[in-house]
Amino acid sequence: MKALILNSGLGRRMGVLTSEHPKCMTEVSASDTILSRQLKLLSRAGIKEVVMTTGYFDDILVNYCHSLELDLKYTFVNNPLYSETNYIYSIYRAIDKLRGNDIVLMHGDLVFESSVLEDMLEFPESCMKVSSTLPLPEKDFKAVITDGTVKAVGVEFFDSALEAQALYKLNSADLDLWLDKIAEFCENGNRKCYAEVALNEITDTLKIYPFDVKDRLCSEIDTPEDLAVVSAKLREIDNRTVYMCFSTDVIHSGHIAIIRRAEKLGKLIIGVLSDEAVASYKRFPILPFEERRSIFENINGVSHVVKQDQLSYRDILRELRPTYVVHGDDWKEGFQKPIRDEVLATLAEYGGQLVEYPYSKDQRFEELEKLTRAQLSMPDLRRGRLRKLISMKGLVTALEAHSGITGLIAEKTTVIDEGKTYQFDAMWVSSLCDSTAKGKPDIELVDMSSRFRTIDDIMEVTTKPIIFDGDTGGLAEHFVYTVRSLERMGVSMVIIEDKTGLKKNSLFGTEVAQTQDSIENFCDKIRAGRDAKKTSDFMICARIESLILERGMEDALTRAYAYCEAGADAIMIHSRKKDPAEIFEFAEKFREKVKNIPLVVVPTSFNEVTEEEFKRRGVNVVIYANQLTRTGFPAMQNAAQLILKNHRAKECDDICMSIKDIINLIPEE
Ligand code: SPV
Ligand code: MG
């Protein structure tokens, strides 16, 4: 593809502005002339060769082009009769340099925005710039459109016409036909008409399609007034900003392609999603925020990088007010749709625009993504993630899981509310629910091998961190083996409670006989566990039963400090009261002394307190300990009763998941 720029004319209507150089050298901005802008845009669009016709101030023009030091090869063709012929003759003189090439043809006084050229070059057919939104000019070019193609170009046509400019992309076969006609005209002495007069004679054989740029800038400069209007528009274009947000830690060619397109729309600002926001909807980022930020900072064409703290774009768009937001069109459906809707609403507040490009799936990227997910489920990567999430988010949530399927529910359930996405951060393998699933009481009856089997089932199909309910931890001599096994499996935290003897579920409180361990014994157990673990990732959490057993706040706090001293990585305080007052009091007093050790709560009874309030009060882990079990079993009992009552299954169909859905629930890998 070559460019043909017609620069033989003088541009008398520009007055003094063209007294020392041709019109194309008129400045349109602080850094560019009409010509330097054209040439830079051509070069950026990948054009390597420019044929330029010259006339007035020929030498000045040639020297000027070379002085720009662009990566372009020039062929200058002088029209010695520039003052008495039209550009039809200039083109005629350049015929040898043009035949057989695809070309983009433009008048030397044309100023257009980069996307006009880029998009035109991507248009598959020969085409001419028109605008369906601009009014028809009185004296300038218009194109008559019939049956979807350009039938005639000239200043005299008004019917079925659109505003047009001498900016064409011509495939070589079409160009050659036009050149033949131009040659015929010039050789018959017809050198003063527009080249389009020759074109109009052959529009039955040569199809030129209208390329509608609507309101995008593509104007010629004929007068100082035109210059003022175009310069102002260019200033507005130069001030345009584009915003894109990325969460990825693997950049592929599809991302680069979309960045290339985005930067052409204006100054490109990249938002990089914070670790917390990524973890909330996707998967734990392999590369932390700072790394991801520096990758984008080093991509050519990126003006600067900002942090986007949440999945919602609303706040950042209100702050930056970008002219455009660019995104792949994949978010029109699915879980990102509400975010897109919110972007559209926010852009509408100030007149911004959403630009969407077709989303290109990249096979290698998908494979990498799959691999990354698989890696995240591996013990070494999974184990440390709870600690990281706590320090990243301040407060993490865990949902009970007692099987592969409940693990998948804890892993995948997503809720989008007001542009924010919510998922559970971790899973709780409860002794109550694990025992219940096996039809056994919660009295440390289910042995460790069976409990480990449950962990294994969950681990096989999920990636999120696991918190294991270790009951009393058993004897200190046994606990060290449990610690090592759990750590090896990739469990992130074990919680052991300071009870001894036959443990009963805490929610019985003092209704059943339960013995609290001595501080000394329990501290010994914590110390033994601490010494047994091999990594700092693995956490031992000491659970205090003083409030459950009604031993008072002082006892709870004394134990908390002692357990921290003994090396507990976290403290869990439990209560079975509906009123959260004692939990709040504990949290407040504990935080007065201990700042950095995470605090865990299980709000089964005090369930009116929100996560936000817990966070404010210094809690770091909220465990929803049994809700899947407690909702699942009544549904199953109901189904069993319906079948028994009706002597058939039809009546319980309405409450059943379809066979198709159940089959599709778990996709094969
Ligand atoms: C469990 O879920 O097994 C627990 C929490 O230990 S609680 O049932 O509240 O004691
Ligand atoms: Mg338990």
Side-chain angles (χ1 to χ4, degrees), residues 35 46 57 92 151 177 243 267 291 370 398 521 547:
L35 180 59
F57 300 114
Y92 174 65
K151 276 286 156 305
L177 284 173
Y243 184 73
K267 199 154 58 154
E291 295 272 333
K370 222 164 132 186
N521 263 344
L547 303 180

Side-chain angles (χ1 to χ4, degrees), residues 535-666:
T535 67
S536 59
D537 288 346
F538 185 73
M539 301 171 80
I540 296 173
C541 173
R543 162 173 167 177
I544 297 163
E545 292 287 294
S546 305
L547 303 180
I548 294 278
L549 300 172
E550 296 174 8
R551 299 275 157 76
M553 189 59 65
E554 268 319 299
D555 184 70
L557 286 163
T558 309
R559 284 171 178 271
Y561 305 140
Y563 300 162
C564 290
E565 194 64 25
D569 299 291
I571 294 291
M572 171 179 155
I573 183 67
H574 206 14
S575 158
R576 67 178 193 130
K577 294 212 172 114
K578 187 140 189 64
D579 182 350
E582 59 181 16
I583 289 286
F584 290 169
E585 187 186 340
F586 178 92
E588 192 183 331
K589 294 195 164 140
F590 178 67
R591 281 285 169 246
E592 273 169 19
K593 272 204 177 172
V594 183
K595 301 282 180 242
N596 296 327
I597 296 205
L599 185 59
V600 182
V601 294
V602 177
T604 305
S605 313
F606 43 101
N607 53 18
E608 282 179 26
V609 186
T610 61
E611 291 156 14
E612 292 73 17
E613 171 145 30
F614 279 129
K615 188 172 182 181
R616 273 199 305 278
R617 291 178 180 273
V619 171
N620 308 95
V621 181
V622 172
I623 297 176
Y624 298 101
N626 47 44
Q627 284 74 13
L628 293 189
T629 295
R630 286 164 59 208
T631 48
F633 284 93
M636 290 191 242
Q637 269 175 337
N638 187 19
Q641 280 182 357
L642 278 171
I643 295 171
L644 278 180
K645 221 188 271 172
N646 295 289
H647 305 262
R648 61 179 190 182
K650 180 179 181 299
E651 283 69 18
C652 86
D653 243 24
D654 283 352
I655 57 168
C656 282
M657 201 172 190
S658 75
I659 295 291
K660 182 167 164 264
D661 285 350
I662 194 95
I663 290 168
N664 290 332
L665 186 64
I666 298 157

Side-chain angles (χ1 to χ4, degrees), residues 484-501:
R484 287 199 195 119
S485 302
L486 291 171
E487 191 179 24
R488 208 170 44 241
M489 278 189 269
V491 168
S492 302
M493 180 193 275
V494 62
I495 301 187
I496 49 169
E497 57 197 274
D498 55 1
K499 286 199 297 228
T500 184

Side-chain angles (χ1 to χ4, degrees), residues 400 428-433 442 469 471 497 499 503-507 543 545 548 572 574-575 602 604 623 625-626:
E400 175 254 317
W428 163 244
V429 180
S430 145
S431 68
L432 172 69
C433 300
D442 181 19
D469 178 356
D471 288 322
E497 57 197 274
K499 286 199 297 228
K503 182 222 87 158
K504 299 263 175 73
N505 185 278
S506 302
L507 301 175
R543 162 173 167 177
E545 292 287 294
I548 294 278
M572 171 179 155
H574 206 14
S575 158
V602 177
T604 305
I623 297 176
N626 47 44

Side-chain angles (χ1 to χ4, degrees), residues 409-449:
I409 290 171
E411 169 105 355
K412 294 198 167 166
T413 305
T414 309
V415 163
I416 300 172
D417 191 21
E418 295 193 354
K420 285 196 178 173
T421 308
Y422 299 93
Q423 284 197 352
F424 294 100
D425 301 297
M427 288 168 283
W428 163 244
V429 180
S430 145
S431 68
L432 172 69
C433 300
D434 203 3
S435 309
T436 305
K438 293 172 169 72
K440 303 242 169 89
D442 181 19
I443 52 170
E444 290 188 274
L445 176 63
V446 178
D447 65 73
M448 272 302 161
S449 325

Side-chain angles (χ1 to χ4, degrees), residues 110 253 561:
L110 205 59
S253 53
Y561 305 140

